[in-house]
């Protein structure tokens, strides 16, 4: 099967031999993780065409600065943000010898009890996780600052959110990163998002907004949060990568697939450890309603972000990259070129 697209030739940061060496190292390391990532075996064929060149491009950006490089990955539900991070982690670690740490904006969700309090104080829709206003943004800024300024003795604790229980895990199971990192990856569905203009908020765009936010209070609050402290968090990102989904229909289809995988994981993990009444696995109608919470900002990002993200990776309906757009091309790369 032929590759749909290739990394732009004028942005290749590796000689043919360097690329071959990197691909060999990555494929060797990736062989042991392919099963755990549960990705299409055809993805391996795209290492040389897309993913290793992307890693080399990011390596060039890192080598042009002092201190760690902060990379943001944006993409709608089911776009493949976690998989892209896992790929980049292997590529940048095995192919380019960088120390890579990453976390998701999902892990910054406020606790369930905090969201209940927020829903009672501001608007009932804020009980549902996802939109700006439902994350502990200050914690995210604290984590990034710790990772950016750490020495060999610094321990950075990163929270873990369990979507099956809709709550933050206890601190005892949080991720711990010890020492400095070369590259920090911060991924999430609204990472790097810009707020909407006030007049864009006037009319509801779906059933959820018409029935449960007729006054516009919820969407005004969400947009105000995005305009404020979220911009402080997103301003720490130095390279923004967007995984652009083809449509909202794809978001529903791919998010449904995620929920099925979550149900399988829950069945395995909680088999005898936790009563099933505490688990929150959504059916298709619940997923449709859930996605409507995200729809407004998702549509806004699909329209405006591809032209300003440093790199936009366009996905087709088969979940393959069909176009690569580099809006911040490298003028000089510390690695060899093919010329």
């Amino acid at each position: 099967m032929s590759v749909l697209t290739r990394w732009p030739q004028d942005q290749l940061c590796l000689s043919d031999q360097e690329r071959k060496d990197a691909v060999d190292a990555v494929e060797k390391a990736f062989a042991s993780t392919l099963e755990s990532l549960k990705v299409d075996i055809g993805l391996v064929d795209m290492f040389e065409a897309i993913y290793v060149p992307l890693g080399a491009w990011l390596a060039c950006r890192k080598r042009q600065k002092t201190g760690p490089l902060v990379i943001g990955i944006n993409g709608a539900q089911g776009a493949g943000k976690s998989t892209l991070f896992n790929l980049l982690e292997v590529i940048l670690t095995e192919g380019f010898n960088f120390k890579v740490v990453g976390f998701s904006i999902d892990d910054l969700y406020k606790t369930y009890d905090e969201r209940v309090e927020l829903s009672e104080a501001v608007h009932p829709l804020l009980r549902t996780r996802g939109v700006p206003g439902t994350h502990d943004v200050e914690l995210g800024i604290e984590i990034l600052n710790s990772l950016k300024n750490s020495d060999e003795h610094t321990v950075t604790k990163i929270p873990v959110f369990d979507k099956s229980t809709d709550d933050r895990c206890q601190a005892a199971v949080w991720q711990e990163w010890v020492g400095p990192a070369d590259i920090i990856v911060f991924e999430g569905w609204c990472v790097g998002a810009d707020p909407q203009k006030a007049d864009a908020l006037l009319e509801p765009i779906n059933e959820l907004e018409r029935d449960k936010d007729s006054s516009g209070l919820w969407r005004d609050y969400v947009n105000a949060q995005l305009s404020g402290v979220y911009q402080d968090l997103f301003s720490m990102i130095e390279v923004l990568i967007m995984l652009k989904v083809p449509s909202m229909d794809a978001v529903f289809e791919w998010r449904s697939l995620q929920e099925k995988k979550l149900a399988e994981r829950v069945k395995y993990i909680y088999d005898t450890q936790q009563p099933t009444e505490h688990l929150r696995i959504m059916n298709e109608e619940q997923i449709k309603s859930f996605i409507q919470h995200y729809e407004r900002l998702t549509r806004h990002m699909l329209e405006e972000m591809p032209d300003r993200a440093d790199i936009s990776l366009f996905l087709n309906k088969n979940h393959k990259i069909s176009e690569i757009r580099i809006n911040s091309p490298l003028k000089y790369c510390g690695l060899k070129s093919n010329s």
Side-chain angles (χ1 to χ4, degrees):
M1 183 177 66
S2 61
V3 175
L4 290 172
T5 190
R6 301 184 71 87
W7 189 258
Q9 293 294 303
D10 63 349
Q11 290 295 296
L12 285 173
C13 297
L14 292 170
S15 68
D16 290 339
Q17 187 59 50
E18 287 170 328
R19 185 163 64 253
K20 181 181 183 303
D21 291 344
V23 169
D24 288 346
V26 169
E27 287 192 1
K28 181 178 180 181
F30 190 67
S32 63
T33 62
L34 184 61
E35 177 63 26
S36 64
L37 289 181
K38 299 185 183 301
V39 294
D40 187 346
I41 189 66
L43 187 62
V44 177
D45 297 330
M46 302 180 77
F47 280 150
E48 185 173 358
I50 296 176
Y51 293 109
V52 168
L54 169 59
W57 193 94
L58 294 169
C60 288
R61 286 292 298 262
K62 166 63 186 86
R63 290 169 181 173
Q64 292 174 1
K65 73 181 297 291
T66 301
L69 177 71
V70 181
I71 300 169
I73 299 178
N74 172 282
Q77 290 76 20
K81 299 180 294 296
S82 297
T83 297
L84 179 59
F85 164 67
N86 285 323
L87 287 170
L88 289 177
E89 182 180 30
V90 173
I91 291 167
L92 291 166
T93 300
E94 301 297 331
F96 299 97
N97 298 313
F98 286 126
K99 294 180 180 179
V100 182
V101 61
F103 65 104
S104 172
I105 199 171
D106 290 0
D107 290 321
L108 301 178
Y109 282 137
K110 295 179 184 292
T111 66
Y112 181 76
D113 288 342
E114 288 173 336
R115 285 181 282 120
V116 169
E117 292 179 8
L118 187 64
S119 71
E120 294 171 349
V122 181
H123 193 285
L125 286 177
L126 292 169
R127 180 176 299 197
T128 300
R129 68 178 190 264
V131 297
T134 62
H135 304 90
D136 189 337
V137 178
E138 291 80 5
L139 177 58
I141 293 173
E142 178 183 327
I143 291 169
L144 285 178
N145 277 326
S146 176
L147 292 170
K148 289 180 66 175
N149 301 299
S150 61
D151 59 32
E152 61 181 7
H153 302 295
T154 303
V155 177
T156 303
K157 299 196 68 173
I158 302 172
V160 177
F161 190 90
D162 188 342
K163 293 180 180 179
S164 67
T165 60
D166 196 21
D167 209 349
R168 186 182 296 172
C169 295
Q170 296 182 353
V173 299
W174 286 17
Q175 177 186 354
E176 290 189 355
W177 178 268
V178 180
D182 298 309
I183 291 177
I184 304 163
V185 180
F186 179 45
E187 60 93 352
W189 82 276
C190 65
V191 164
D194 278 346
Q196 291 184 279
K197 295 180 179 179
D199 59 1
L201 303 172
L202 297 177
E203 295 296 327
I205 65 166
N206 56 30
E207 183 179 350
L208 177 81
E209 292 188 0
R210 286 191 298 271
D211 295 346
K212 298 186 178 181
D213 187 40
S214 58
S215 69
L217 174 63
W218 173 68
R219 53 189 183 268
D220 283 343
Y221 178 84
V222 169
N223 202 57
Q225 292 294 303
L226 186 57
S227 301
V229 67
Y230 279 75
Q231 295 307 305
D232 295 334
L233 175 62
F234 297 157
S235 69
M236 301 177 76
I237 296 170
E238 296 164 287
V239 175
L240 179 62
I241 301 172
M242 182 188 195
L243 285 167
K244 184 184 181 300
V245 300
S247 66
M248 285 300 301
D249 288 341
V251 174
F252 174 75
E253 179 183 344
W254 297 348
R255 183 62 181 82
S256 297
L257 181 60
Q258 277 188 331
E259 200 70 13
K260 290 177 182 178
K261 290 181 178 179
L262 176 63
E264 293 173 359
R265 182 176 69 86
V266 166
K267 184 178 184 300
Y268 174 77
I269 294 176
Y270 292 104
D271 190 20
T272 59
Q273 301 177 34
Q274 184 168 329
T276 56
E277 62 265 22
H278 293 296
L279 305 180
R280 296 179 172 87
I281 304 301
M282 294 183 287
N283 58 35
E284 289 201 356
E285 283 302 313
Q286 291 171 322
I287 293 171
K288 181 179 179 181
S289 176
F290 182 64
I291 287 175
Q292 287 188 19
H293 291 77
Y294 298 76
E295 183 176 358
R296 169 177 291 278
L297 188 52
T298 297
R299 290 187 181 277
H300 174 59
M301 291 186 296
L302 289 178
E303 180 179 348
E304 63 84 23
M305 187 177 285
D307 291 329
R308 69 173 175 86
D310 295 285
I311 298 173
S312 294
L313 304 176
F314 290 72
L315 304 175
N316 62 20
K317 63 181 181 180
N318 296 319
H319 217 294
K320 303 297 184 183
I321 296 173
S322 59
E323 179 187 347
I324 299 171
R325 183 181 301 173
I326 301 178
N327 295 314
S328 302
L330 287 172
K331 296 181 179 179
Y332 170 77
C333 182
L335 301 173
K336 295 179 183 178
S337 68
N338 286 325
S339 58

